[in-house]
PDB file of all heavy atoms in Angstrom:
ATOM      1  N   ARG A 154     -21.486  70.829 -27.409  1.00  0.00           N
ATOM      2  CA  ARG A 154     -21.686  70.415 -26.011  1.00  0.00           C
ATOM      3  C   ARG A 154     -22.500  71.479 -25.310  1.00  0.00           C
ATOM      4  O   ARG A 154     -22.279  72.659 -25.446  1.00  0.00           O
ATOM      5  CB  ARG A 154     -20.303  70.256 -25.358  1.00  0.00           C
ATOM      6  CG  ARG A 154     -20.295  69.740 -23.949  1.00  0.00           C
ATOM      7  CD  ARG A 154     -18.863  69.482 -23.491  1.00  0.00           C
ATOM      8  NE  ARG A 154     -18.275  68.364 -24.228  1.00  0.00           N
ATOM      9  CZ  ARG A 154     -17.021  68.011 -24.143  1.00  0.00           C
ATOM     10  NH1 ARG A 154     -16.180  68.691 -23.391  1.00  0.00           N
ATOM     11  NH2 ARG A 154     -16.570  66.965 -24.817  1.00  0.00           N
ATOM     12  N   LEU A 155     -23.463  71.033 -24.453  1.00  0.00           N
ATOM     13  CA  LEU A 155     -24.330  71.946 -23.714  1.00  0.00           C
ATOM     14  C   LEU A 155     -23.942  71.979 -22.257  1.00  0.00           C
ATOM     15  O   LEU A 155     -23.966  70.999 -21.542  1.00  0.00           O
ATOM     16  CB  LEU A 155     -25.797  71.487 -23.870  1.00  0.00           C
ATOM     17  CG  LEU A 155     -26.811  72.438 -23.235  1.00  0.00           C
ATOM     18  CD1 LEU A 155     -26.843  73.803 -23.958  1.00  0.00           C
ATOM     19  CD2 LEU A 155     -28.192  71.788 -23.259  1.00  0.00           C
ATOM     20  N   LYS A 156     -23.635  73.202 -21.797  1.00  0.00           N
ATOM     21  CA  LYS A 156     -23.291  73.442 -20.396  1.00  0.00           C
ATOM     22  C   LYS A 156     -24.358  74.361 -19.831  1.00  0.00           C
ATOM     23  O   LYS A 156     -24.552  75.444 -20.313  1.00  0.00           O
ATOM     24  CB  LYS A 156     -21.888  74.034 -20.301  1.00  0.00           C
ATOM     25  CG  LYS A 156     -20.829  73.230 -21.060  1.00  0.00           C
ATOM     26  CD  LYS A 156     -19.419  73.384 -20.615  1.00  0.00           C
ATOM     27  CE  LYS A 156     -18.788  74.714 -20.610  1.00  0.00           C
ATOM     28  NZ  LYS A 156     -18.162  75.085 -21.960  1.00  0.00           N
ATOM     29  N   VAL A 157     -25.021  73.919 -18.777  1.00  0.00           N
ATOM     30  CA  VAL A 157     -26.166  74.642 -18.191  1.00  0.00           C
ATOM     31  C   VAL A 157     -25.747  75.371 -16.931  1.00  0.00           C
ATOM     32  O   VAL A 157     -25.262  74.731 -15.971  1.00  0.00           O
ATOM     33  CB  VAL A 157     -27.347  73.750 -17.970  1.00  0.00           C
ATOM     34  CG1 VAL A 157     -28.532  74.556 -17.344  1.00  0.00           C
ATOM     35  CG2 VAL A 157     -27.802  73.090 -19.260  1.00  0.00           C
ATOM     36  N   ILE A 158     -25.943  76.686 -16.940  1.00  0.00           N
ATOM     37  CA  ILE A 158     -25.614  77.545 -15.784  1.00  0.00           C
ATOM     38  C   ILE A 158     -26.827  77.644 -14.875  1.00  0.00           C
ATOM     39  O   ILE A 158     -27.899  78.090 -15.254  1.00  0.00           O
ATOM     40  CB  ILE A 158     -25.192  78.942 -16.241  1.00  0.00           C
ATOM     41  CG1 ILE A 158     -24.047  78.839 -17.285  1.00  0.00           C
ATOM     42  CG2 ILE A 158     -24.753  79.796 -15.062  1.00  0.00           C
ATOM     43  CD1 ILE A 158     -23.775  80.194 -17.995  1.00  0.00           C
ATOM     44  N   LEU A 159     -26.641  77.254 -13.608  1.00  0.00           N
ATOM     45  CA  LEU A 159     -27.760  77.292 -12.648  1.00  0.00           C
ATOM     46  C   LEU A 159     -27.873  78.618 -11.895  1.00  0.00           C
ATOM     47  O   LEU A 159     -28.926  78.961 -11.387  1.00  0.00           O
ATOM     48  CB  LEU A 159     -27.630  76.206 -11.603  1.00  0.00           C
ATOM     49  CG  LEU A 159     -27.552  74.768 -12.133  1.00  0.00           C
ATOM     50  CD1 LEU A 159     -27.514  73.783 -10.968  1.00  0.00           C
ATOM     51  CD2 LEU A 159     -28.703  74.438 -13.066  1.00  0.00           C
ATOM     52  N   GLU A 160     -26.820  79.397 -11.865  1.00  0.00           N
ATOM     53  CA  GLU A 160     -26.722  80.653 -11.105  1.00  0.00           C
ATOM     54  C   GLU A 160     -27.006  80.335  -9.625  1.00  0.00           C
ATOM     55  O   GLU A 160     -27.956  80.815  -8.990  1.00  0.00           O
ATOM     56  CB  GLU A 160     -27.676  81.735 -11.626  1.00  0.00           C
ATOM     57  CG  GLU A 160     -27.279  83.135 -11.212  1.00  0.00           C
ATOM     58  CD  GLU A 160     -25.937  83.595 -11.814  1.00  0.00           C
ATOM     59  OE1 GLU A 160     -24.861  83.119 -11.338  1.00  0.00           O
ATOM     60  OE2 GLU A 160     -25.953  84.402 -12.768  1.00  0.00           O
ATOM     61  N   THR A 161     -26.145  79.505  -9.074  1.00  0.00           N
ATOM     62  CA  THR A 161     -26.397  78.917  -7.775  1.00  0.00           C
ATOM     63  C   THR A 161     -26.386  79.923  -6.598  1.00  0.00           C
ATOM     64  O   THR A 161     -27.031  79.711  -5.597  1.00  0.00           O
ATOM     65  CB  THR A 161     -25.350  77.795  -7.461  1.00  0.00           C
ATOM     66  OG1 THR A 161     -24.048  78.343  -7.618  1.00  0.00           O
ATOM     67  CG2 THR A 161     -25.581  76.644  -8.408  1.00  0.00           C
ATOM     68  N   SER A 162     -25.665  81.059  -6.751  1.00  0.00           N
ATOM     69  CA  SER A 162     -25.661  82.037  -5.674  1.00  0.00           C
ATOM     70  C   SER A 162     -26.976  82.702  -5.521  1.00  0.00           C
ATOM     71  O   SER A 162     -27.267  83.249  -4.437  1.00  0.00           O
ATOM     72  CB  SER A 162     -24.566  83.107  -5.963  1.00  0.00           C
ATOM     73  OG  SER A 162     -24.932  83.926  -7.051  1.00  0.00           O
ATOM     74  N   GLN A 163     -27.843  82.630  -6.550  1.00  0.00           N
ATOM     75  CA  GLN A 163     -29.155  83.187  -6.436  1.00  0.00           C
ATOM     76  C   GLN A 163     -30.174  82.174  -5.953  1.00  0.00           C
ATOM     77  O   GLN A 163     -31.084  82.522  -5.267  1.00  0.00           O
ATOM     78  CB  GLN A 163     -29.573  83.750  -7.797  1.00  0.00           C
ATOM     79  CG  GLN A 163     -28.650  84.796  -8.352  1.00  0.00           C
ATOM     80  CD  GLN A 163     -28.429  85.955  -7.389  1.00  0.00           C
ATOM     81  OE1 GLN A 163     -29.352  86.707  -7.102  1.00  0.00           O
ATOM     82  NE2 GLN A 163     -27.187  86.123  -6.947  1.00  0.00           N
ATOM     83  N   ILE A 164     -29.949  80.911  -6.320  1.00  0.00           N
ATOM     84  CA  ILE A 164     -30.896  79.860  -5.846  1.00  0.00           C
ATOM     85  C   ILE A 164     -30.689  79.633  -4.330  1.00  0.00           C
ATOM     86  O   ILE A 164     -31.649  79.456  -3.585  1.00  0.00           O
ATOM     87  CB  ILE A 164     -30.659  78.551  -6.617  1.00  0.00           C
ATOM     88  CG1 ILE A 164     -31.022  78.786  -8.106  1.00  0.00           C
ATOM     89  CG2 ILE A 164     -31.451  77.401  -6.017  1.00  0.00           C
ATOM     90  CD1 ILE A 164     -30.799  77.527  -8.985  1.00  0.00           C
TER      91      ILE A 164
END
Side-chain angles (χ1 to χ4, degrees):
R154 184 173 291 172
L155 184 66
K156 309 202 302 273
V157 179
I158 306 169
L159 302 184
E160 201 66 286
T161 54
S162 69
Q163 303 304 296
I164 295 178

